[in-house]
Amino acid sequence: DAGITQSPRHKVTETGTPVTLRCHQTENHRYMYWYRQDPGHGLRLIHYSYGVKDTDKGEVSDGYSVSRSKTEDFLLTLESATSSQTSVYFCAISGPTSGRVNEQFFGPGTRLTVL
Amino acid sequence: SQKIEQNSEALNIQEGKTATLTCNYTNYSPAYLQWYRQDPGRGPVFLLLIRENEKEKRKERLKVTFDTTLKQSLFHITASQPADSATYLCALETLGNEKLTFGTGTRLTIIP
């Protein structure tokens, strides 16, 4: 398995609280991605990063922010969690080739419940 | 609007038969198409990639076709086994886009 971990693996929080999910890789891959997966919607891209401090929005970025201060870490923050953000969150990595996306390697996922 | 559809939410196939999954897309010009497998409670795992100028790609019991005229990819598992039971996702990449767009997946069950 690619060296990619996510923490926490499970979290229950209350509406209005801030939440930060962490993705850590040991592969030195350039690209990192955050997805959410919901029944009927499949995997949807929230944000992605193409290098340290270089990030861009995905399809469903509202209510989320990200940061990447080191190659190996990509943080996803919900500033004020809402019940609609209850989901399973996956981090993925890809690279190191630039110019096109290679296959992506996924982490084990974080199940987030917002009450 | 852009849309990716995978033929059915669930597909049941008898063991030993060939399972065929479909991925259709509209309003995309994908340069590459990828297929992933996802088991319950786990992240997707990459299986195969096919380029727009390739008609077919094989890997062991897996075969993928890509028809840019029909805007469709077919994913075949021959001599299917119960261990092939999983959800299969297709994903499109447009050139220079640096990201994938996923279909909603087909849950395949191989019946012994």
Side-chain angles (χ1 to χ4, degrees):
Chain A
D1 289 346
I4 177 170
T5 57
Q6 293 183 229
S7 59
R9 294 292 315 279
H10 301 271
K11 186 170 182 66
V12 179
T13 191
E14 294 189 349
T15 299
T17 58
V19 176
T20 295
L21 308 183
R22 180 181 183 236
C23 178
H24 178 78
Q25 62 147 328
T26 58
E27 305 296 320
N28 200 36
H29 280 355
R30 178 182 177 188
Y31 296 94
M32 298 185 76
Y33 307 83
W34 276 109
Y35 294 90
R36 59 178 291 174
Q37 189 171 38
D38 305 285
H41 290 280
L43 276 167
R44 291 181 292 174
L45 182 66
I46 305 171
H47 283 279
Y48 69 104
S49 169
Y50 46 95
V52 173
K53 298 193 191 307
D54 292 323
T55 65
D56 204 352
K57 295 179 180 180
E59 178 188 357
V60 290
S61 59
D62 287 348
Y64 302 94
S65 62
V66 290
S67 65
R68 191 171 178 196
S69 58
K70 297 184 290 185
T71 298
E72 56 267 34
D73 289 325
F74 192 33
L75 303 181
L76 176 70
T77 297
L78 292 66
E79 300 291 345
S80 177
T82 67
S83 58
S84 65
Q85 293 176 312
T86 292
S87 186
V88 179
Y89 291 86
F90 287 102
C91 176
I93 61 176
S94 177
T97 307
S98 62
R100 65 155 292 257
V101 177
N102 297 284
E103 60 267 28
Q104 295 187 8
F105 301 96
F106 284 80
T110 294
R111 183 172 295 276
L112 176 67
T113 302
V114 183
L115 301 175
Chain B
S1 62
Q2 296 178 321
K3 190 185 288 187
I4 303 172
E5 290 184 335
Q6 295 194 236
N7 58 327
S8 53
E9 199 172 313
L11 185 65
N12 296 329
I13 298 292
Q14 204 71 37
E15 181 178 3
K17 303 292 187 185
T18 296
T20 299
L21 284 63
T22 304
C23 177
N24 295 299
Y25 58 91
T26 54
N27 295 324
Y28 279 103
S29 294
Y32 306 91
L33 191 144
Q34 301 183 19
W35 283 89
Y36 288 77
R37 169 184 172 138
Q38 186 174 22
D39 291 289
R42 306 190 70 132
V45 174
F46 171 79
L47 295 175
L48 281 168
L49 177 152
I50 188 166
R51 295 173 173 79
E52 62 175 335
N53 60 353
E54 296 177 317
K55 296 296 184 188
E56 181 179 299
K57 185 73 79 72
R58 291 176 185 261
K59 179 183 175 183
E60 297 173 352
R61 293 184 296 110
L62 309 180
K63 185 179 84 170
V64 173
T65 62
F66 194 8
D67 188 328
T68 55
T69 301
L70 290 179
K71 296 187 183 299
Q72 181 181 82
S73 174
L74 299 179
F75 177 80
H76 306 273
I77 305 175
T78 59
S80 59
Q81 306 165 1
D84 296 325
S85 298
T87 295
Y88 291 86
L89 307 168
C90 70
L92 305 181
E93 173 197 349
T94 53
L95 201 60
N97 202 9
E98 300 177 327
K99 49 192 178 183
L100 293 174
T101 303
F102 283 84
T104 53
T106 296
R107 188 172 67 252
L108 175 67
T109 302
I110 305 301
I111 303 166

